[in-house]
Amino acid sequence: MWESETESVRGREYGNGVLSSNKHGVKTDGFELRGQSWYVATDIPSDLLVQVGDVNFHLHKYPMLSRSGKVNRLIYESNNHPDLNKIALEDLPGGPEAFELAAKFCYGIAVDLTAANISGLRCAAEYLEMTEDLDEGNLIFKTEAFLSYVVLSSWRDSILVLKSCEKLSPWAENLQIVRRCSESIAWKACANPKGIKWAYTGKPSKVSSPKWNDLKDSSPSRSQPVPPDWWFEDVSILRTDHFVRVITAIKVKGMRFELIGASIMHYAAKWLPGLIKDGQGQGPADDMSISTNSNSSGGTGSSSWKGGLHMIVSGTKDDTPSIQAKDQRMIIESLISIIPPQKDSVSCSFLLRLLRMANMLKVAPALVTELEKRVGMQFEQATLADLLIPSYNKSETMYDVDLVQRLLEHFLVQEQTESSSPSRPPFSDKHMYEGTQRSNNPNAKMRVARLVDSYLTEVSRDRNLSLTKFQVLAEALPESARTCDDGLYRAIDSYLKAHPTLSEHERKRLCRVMDCQKLSIDACMHAAQNERLPLRIVVQVLFSEQVKISNALANSTLKDPAETQYQPLIPNHKTLLEATPLSFQEGWAAAKKDINTLKFELESVKAKYLELQNDMENLQRQFEKMSKQKQTSAWTSGWKKLSKLTKMTAVENHDIVPQISTAAEQTRKTPRRWRNSIS
């Protein structure tokens, strides 16, 4: 017997779910099952055989004709046939279980209505045309009232009825059962958590999922506040198309897009086992042993709730991989179509993993393009592990480099659109505007540049990667996005290692994507002795390094010693670590000794250069002295020789003074003769 919940007041007024008919023409104590056939426990022999699937029902005409318009019409149409006592109902919704309950109702036997059998019984009543025209209070009226006043007022019953509608298409859809249950679930999911009085599953238990009766005492409680994601696990048991209906109804009710995105990620983690690598979230393989009709057993009819019921994507041993892949492709396409359009509604990592599976399962190209645009909106949040998507389109490269190129283009288009848009928020939603403002962060392009450099380093090891693809992806970002080209140099060096047969022209073309002036000191040290680089690039690296050293020395001399004492400069190594990706930092370990050796040699060269400069200055001074001596040596040397001769002959000249005087007189007379001769 169905037990109504505490929030269902009208359900308690509805006879506790016991359905019976006051009018019946055949007295019976019930039905008896003998093999694959049902018999009415009465002394009156049956005159009507109804075949539903593989089960036969031996009934009587009067109880069925008085309440079922379809049975009445079939018997009337078969009057001309000899076998008029047999009716086959092959397409009856709900199958033999629903017809058994409908037949019991026709005989006046009490029927226990539960959330598990009400949808099938309602569809069967519509199929059998059990309307009010034949009998007042017929089965259609009774089941419709139970749905409206009992099921839709209950949280768990709405979910269970919607779950039971999976095998009742299109009847459940045409009778608006799916729509009404979806809207009921949406209204309750959007309710204020402080006002929730009903039980919910919450996070799945690791051991076993609790029953509903146990949850009434444990969840929710006034001592523990209700979390905003309390409805995620309960809704995740639904089939994909019904889950889409619920999420669509929740969007209409105005729930926050962050919660809607979180519920979609929770659902994907449950039914797409390859989406989550860390093992969090229960996959469909864990729910394969759960039965869908666990609530249809007899007795009290207590429904056992588990973390997830059997779903078509779960698969069985008889399922082929193609069928399971088709079901998963349907799930991915459905989830892509309901992701909220606002940025940050789902994580970028989730979008990239969904994109990976979409390419693997060959989802519709239009949906893949839409998903790529969504990734471009949040591309700065991506990680290297999520970008390493294998190439599933029979490409020569190991990873799908073209896909990353398209994602980067979408990111640049989005950045350009947001930068050119007016500063006034285009949306009335506050959360959407905040998400848009976060995308205008100037550091977004720098993070994307580091991500692309790390990606190039990884994919460059693939020998099938062409130089053109590498160059196009490296040059896609503007020059302002990279403040340091160390990561790009690391990728170039890795590409040169994996492609040793490149010509000199191709190596120059490859290195042209790098700016040598943006390399750090350690990167310049490594590049100066890198034999794989072209000679022209090595010269440019050495020149840029010399310029950096000169600028650093000039800046250090201009600074006040007191300021440098209390305000030390930021170490270059720390700046390098902050500006370069992790993959490039790991690559320096192997070349650390060479870098230190090159630093020592550079210092030695500087010392020798200073010594040579001093020697040159000394030689210059000596040369200047020698040049001055050569200019005055002819006159000074003559006078010195004359003075020496004068001193040496001083004594001798003292003895022959008369002779000198005579000679002097002669010399005095001589000019007169010269003057006379001239005159």
Side-chain angles (χ1 to χ4, degrees), residues 559-567:
K559 287 186 177 180
D560 189 5
E563 294 180 358
T564 57
Q565 182 178 0
Y566 296 100
Q567 297 178 359

Side-chain angles (χ1 to χ4, degrees), residues 510-528:
L510 175 65
C511 296
R512 200 174 294 126
V513 302
M514 174 183 62
D515 188 359
C516 297
Q517 296 181 359
K518 291 184 179 181
L519 295 179
S520 64
I521 295 178
D522 291 340
C524 291
M525 295 291 186
H526 186 275

Side-chain angles (χ1 to χ4, degrees), residues 282-293:
Q282 188 179 6
D286 301 331
D287 299 328
M288 290 175 63
S289 61
I290 301 175
S291 175
T292 56
N293 57 358

Side-chain angles (χ1 to χ4, degrees), residues 89-314:
L89 304 176
E90 298 294 340
D91 54 348
L92 185 139
E97 296 81 5
F99 185 79
E100 175 194 349
L101 298 177
K104 287 181 179 181
F105 174 80
C106 294
Y107 278 88
I109 301 174
V111 177
D112 295 336
L113 295 181
T114 64
N117 60 25
I118 184 61
S119 58
L121 188 58
R122 173 67 182 87
C123 295
E126 190 72 21
Y127 176 86
L128 295 173
E129 301 174 8
M130 302 177 71
T131 62
E132 294 294 299
D133 298 337
L134 299 176
D135 188 13
E136 185 179 356
N138 209 346
L139 188 57
I140 291 179
F141 174 78
K142 299 276 186 164
T143 53
E144 189 66 29
F146 185 83
L147 278 171
S148 300
Y149 294 105
V150 178
V151 171
L152 297 181
S153 61
S154 170
W155 165 258
R156 66 181 176 97
D157 289 342
S158 298
I159 293 179
L160 291 176
V161 169
L162 187 57
K163 180 67 182 176
S164 64
C165 292
E166 295 176 358
K167 298 180 180 180
L168 299 174
S169 298
W171 287 91
E173 192 71 36
N174 295 334
L175 294 175
Q176 304 297 321
I177 299 177
V178 174
R179 181 188 62 80
R180 289 183 289 174
C181 289
S182 299
E183 291 183 353
S184 174
I185 295 171
W187 275 113
K188 293 176 175 62
C190 296
N192 189 354
K194 296 181 180 180
I196 293 177
K197 303 298 182 183
W198 54 84
Y200 59 88
T201 301
K203 295 182 179 180
S205 176
K206 295 182 180 180
V207 181
S208 62
S209 299
K211 296 182 179 180
W212 276 107
N213 295 332
D214 299 335
L215 290 172
K216 290 179 180 179
D217 300 331
S218 60
S219 174
S221 61
R222 295 183 180 180
S223 59
Q224 297 179 356
V226 178
D229 59 347
W230 61 270
W231 52 277
F232 287 5
E233 184 62 27
D234 293 346
V235 175
S236 66
I237 73 165
L238 299 175
R239 199 174 65 183
T240 306
D241 55 340
H242 293 163
F243 176 77
V244 171
R245 295 288 295 271
V246 171
I247 295 299
T248 304
I250 288 176
K251 286 182 180 179
V252 174
K253 301 298 184 294
M255 179 173 284
R256 291 181 302 167
F257 64 87
E258 297 95 339
L259 279 178
I260 296 177
S263 65
I264 294 174
M265 290 191 290
H266 182 87
Y267 188 88
K270 188 178 186 66
W271 297 114
L272 297 174
L275 191 67
I276 305 299
K277 299 179 181 179
D278 54 5
Q280 296 179 358
Q282 188 179 6
D286 301 331
D287 299 328
M288 290 175 63
S289 61
I290 301 175
S291 175
T292 56
N293 57 358
S294 60
N295 302 314
S296 60
S297 58
T300 60
S302 61
S303 58
S304 165
W305 183 278
K306 294 191 175 182
L309 299 183
H310 181 74
M311 193 174 180
I312 56 173
V313 77
S314 306

Side-chain angles (χ1 to χ4, degrees), residues 19 36 41 52 61 71 106 118 133 208 285 300 331-332 340 438 516 526 549 560 568 572 599 626:
L19 186 64
Q36 292 292 326
V52 182
K61 290 183 180 180
V71 174
C106 294
I118 184 61
D133 298 337
S208 62
T300 60
I331 293 176
I332 293 175
R438 285 194 298 268
C516 297
H526 186 275
I549 294 175
D560 189 5
N572 290 331
K599 285 182 179 180
M626 293 175 62

Side-chain angles (χ1 to χ4, degrees), residues 21 23-26 47-50 59-79 84-87 89 99 102-108 128-136 138-139:
S21 177
K23 298 179 181 180
H24 54 85
V26 179
D47 56 353
L48 178 64
L49 176 62
V50 180
L59 307 174
H60 301 84
K61 290 183 180 180
Y62 177 73
M64 300 301 298
L65 292 175
S66 61
R67 292 175 177 83
S68 175
K70 186 175 183 63
V71 174
N72 198 341
R73 188 174 64 257
L74 290 175
I75 292 177
Y76 175 78
E77 292 174 354
S78 61
N79 285 334
L84 54 89
N85 295 329
K86 183 178 180 181
I87 299 175
L89 304 176
F99 185 79
K104 287 181 179 181
F105 174 80
C106 294
Y107 278 88
L128 295 173
E129 301 174 8
M130 302 177 71
T131 62
E132 294 294 299
D133 298 337
L134 299 176
D135 188 13
E136 185 179 356
N138 209 346
L139 188 57

